[in-house]
Amino acid sequence: MNVSRETEERLATYGSMVEKWNARINLVSASTIPSLRARHIDDCAQIIDHSGPVNGRWVDLGSGGGFPGIVVAILAADWELDVTLVESDQRKSAFLRAVLRETGLTKASVISDRIESVPPLDADHVSARALAPLASLLPMVARHMQPEGQAWLMKGQAWRQECEAAKSDWRFDLRAIPSRTDPEAAILNITGVSHA
């Protein structure tokens, strides 16, 4: 990634904090820590490459260790974009808040509650990574995304099957973007979400 020194410093701080906290609260698989930058941070950065500079409200569902929400917040720190991280696990929420403090990300916040319990957030953009199968994820997206919004959903090798399964209950427009870090994975850019 070609980023400013300040952005690189924030990414490095974040990576160090993931490594430090991971033994206690299992933010990512321990086996992926040695390749944290490529496997998690650079992987999530792809979303920003495809969304381009945007403004408004970005909501990251089931943020966990901050992938992709914290990465989005860091890379978009200079944009007119407020990033909201939704995470029900109190320990992970504490970690996310600590990252926001340490990196000085003032336009990002954490909601510590279950996604389905949070009042609709009317987001312009919604993201999620490794949260739930698409058929289960779309009700959450529909709840929190405004009608003209865009979802950026990071999916693994089974993304095609998940899309087919979701079509029985949902209507949506899909642009599948091949992942640069895993040729079998994709970023699903979804718009026009409605219940079938």
Side-chain angles (χ1 to χ4, degrees):
M1 287 184 293
N2 185 18
V3 297
S4 69
R5 179 183 297 174
E6 183 180 21
T7 298
E8 189 57 57
E9 287 173 356
R10 282 175 164 154
L11 290 171
T13 297
Y14 174 43
S16 296
M17 291 181 74
V18 171
E19 291 183 34
K20 179 180 173 184
W21 286 59
N22 199 61
R24 288 179 292 171
I25 60 173
N26 193 31
L27 301 167
V28 296
S29 170
S31 66
T32 65
I33 288 289
S35 57
L36 180 69
R37 180 63 184 250
R39 176 72 180 82
H40 297 290
I41 295 175
D42 292 350
D43 184 47
C44 292
Q46 296 179 86
I47 290 180
I48 290 297
D49 291 342
H50 295 291
S51 75
V54 295
N55 54 29
R57 185 171 208 182
W58 189 299
V59 171
D60 187 53
L61 300 175
S63 295
F67 302 106
I70 292 284
V71 178
V72 167
I74 290 172
L75 295 178
D78 295 332
W79 302 353
E80 293 301 317
L81 187 69
D82 293 311
V83 178
T84 302
L85 311 170
V86 182
E87 175 53 52
S88 63
D89 184 299
Q90 296 299 317
R91 295 177 309 156
K92 290 178 181 176
S93 291
F95 167 75
L96 295 170
R97 288 190 181 97
V99 171
L100 298 184
R101 280 194 308 273
E102 290 294 318
T103 56
L105 292 171
T106 57
K107 291 186 287 188
S109 60
V110 180
I111 295 176
S112 300
D113 204 348
R114 296 183 59 78
I115 295 164
E116 58 273 21
S117 300
V118 176
L121 294 171
D122 197 34
D124 302 285
H125 297 270
V126 172
S127 59
R129 181 183 191 235
L131 179 59
L134 190 60
S136 302
L137 189 53
L138 284 175
M140 302 178 209
V141 169
R143 177 178 178 82
H144 293 293
M145 186 172 74
Q146 61 171 280
E148 298 79 30
Q150 296 189 63
W152 303 90
L153 310 177
M154 305 189 74
K155 288 291 179 182
Q157 299 178 0
W159 69 266
R160 291 177 183 85
Q161 296 93 308
E162 287 189 32
C163 287
E164 284 306 310
K167 286 177 182 175
S168 62
D169 291 320
W170 293 91
R171 300 287 171 263
F172 52 92
D173 297 315
L174 169 69
R175 178 170 65 112
I177 305 163
S179 170
R180 289 195 304 259
T181 58
D182 180 352
E184 297 298 316
I187 299 167
L188 307 184
N189 179 211
I190 292 178
T191 56
V193 178
S194 64
H195 203 270

